[in-house]
């Protein structure tokens, strides 16, 4: 179901972006990003798939989605967080004067590319790490889900994740919490035994 869930998440993003009011693109989005930059950053879950499908790795370095979130972080890769923020802003600028149409086109392109894939190719991602496509795609579902909610909240519009998308995102969040030693804290919070600190995050 991985490609199908990714397809649903990408299509949901496109529908959400089409609902963003014309005057909302410059208002606060998330952190240092305005709405345009937040949408731009989120669209990288489309553009990176397109780019990485053109690569081939020699070995599998990352075996699970949760391992991706342990190993592919700015601190682990030595990337300045300000560079990550700027990539989001640049991605927003790259969407041009009609971001909704640009996102629609990206979704169409990446889903078309995925229909031509045979098997489960070993692709090369940031840091030169090798990962199977079906391991990488769930991380993109997670990003599309979380940032889809971020976008909807920023512009105060209704957005509901499907059960498949939500299940995929929550599964990755839970497994990443376990992999980073935060599993028990998450379990206690989910069962009403304790509260999570305001800064708690699994990624």
């Amino acid at each position: 179901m991985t490609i199908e869930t990714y397809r649903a998440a990408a299509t949901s993003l496109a529908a959400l972006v089409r609902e963003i009011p014309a005057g909302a693109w410059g208002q606060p989005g998330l952190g240092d990003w305005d709405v345009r930059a937040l949408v731009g950053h989120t669209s990288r879950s489309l553009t990176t798939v397109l780019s990485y499908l053109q690569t081939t790795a020699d070995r599998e370095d990352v075996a699970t989605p949760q391992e991706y979130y342990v190993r592919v972080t700015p601190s682990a890769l030595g990337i300045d967080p300000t560079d990550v923020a700027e990539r989001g802003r640049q991605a927003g600028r790259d969407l041009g004067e009609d971001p909704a149409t640009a996102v629609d086109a990206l979704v169409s392109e990446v889903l078309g590319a995925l229909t031509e894939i045979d098997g489960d190719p070993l692709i090369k991602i940031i840091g030169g790490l090798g990962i199977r496509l079906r391991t990488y795609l769930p991380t993109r579902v997670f990003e599309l889900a979380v940032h889809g909610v971020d976008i909807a909240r920023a512009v105060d519009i209704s957005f509901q994740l499907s059960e498949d998308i939500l299940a995929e995102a929550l599964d990755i969040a839970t497994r990443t919490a376990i992999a980073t030693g935060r599993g028990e804290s998450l379990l206690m919070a989910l069962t009403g035994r304790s509260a999570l600190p305001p800064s708690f995050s699994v990624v």
Side-chain angles (χ1 to χ4, degrees):
M1 291 293 290
T2 298
I3 290 180
E4 290 80 2
T5 306
Y6 177 79
R7 180 181 293 111
T11 302
S12 294
L13 173 68
L16 173 64
V17 173
R18 287 195 295 271
E19 292 187 38
I20 296 176
W25 292 95
Q27 68 188 44
L30 178 70
D32 294 333
W33 286 326
D34 60 13
V35 171
R36 174 182 281 273
L38 175 57
V39 172
H41 173 76
T42 309
S43 74
R44 286 178 52 77
S45 287
L46 308 171
T47 58
T48 56
V49 174
L50 281 168
S51 297
Y52 296 156
L53 283 175
Q54 306 303 313
T55 69
T56 302
D58 296 326
R59 65 178 186 273
E60 186 177 12
D61 301 302
V62 180
T64 65
Q66 60 267 28
E67 185 181 355
Y68 172 92
Y69 279 109
V70 172
R71 299 187 62 181
V72 185
T73 65
S75 58
L77 296 175
I79 300 173
D80 190 330
T82 59
D83 292 338
V84 177
E86 177 55 31
R87 279 204 296 268
R89 286 189 286 269
Q90 183 58 54
R93 291 190 290 267
D94 289 344
L95 295 176
E97 295 184 1
D98 189 350
T101 297
V103 170
D104 277 340
L106 284 173
V107 169
S108 178
E109 186 176 1
V110 70
L111 295 185
L114 287 172
T115 63
E116 299 179 4
I117 296 300
D118 289 326
D120 188 15
L122 187 59
I123 58 176
K124 186 181 294 185
I125 60 172
I126 188 171
L129 298 171
I131 186 172
R132 292 288 175 186
L133 176 64
R134 290 182 185 273
T135 302
Y136 181 65
L137 286 182
T139 72
R140 300 307 90 193
V141 172
F142 180 86
E143 297 291 329
L144 290 166
V146 172
H147 289 311
V149 174
D150 287 335
I151 294 165
R153 289 181 174 182
V155 297
D156 194 25
I157 58 179
S158 177
F159 178 66
Q160 186 170 359
L161 297 170
S162 72
E163 289 186 8
D164 286 347
I165 296 170
L166 191 57
E168 185 86 79
L170 284 170
D171 181 66
I172 290 177
T174 302
R175 292 180 183 278
T176 303
I178 295 169
T180 55
R182 299 176 176 90
E184 184 175 321
S185 295
L186 182 59
L187 177 63
M188 292 300 97
L190 289 174
T191 54
R193 277 133 175 95
S194 62
L196 294 173
S199 61
F200 182 90
S201 176
V202 298
V203 295

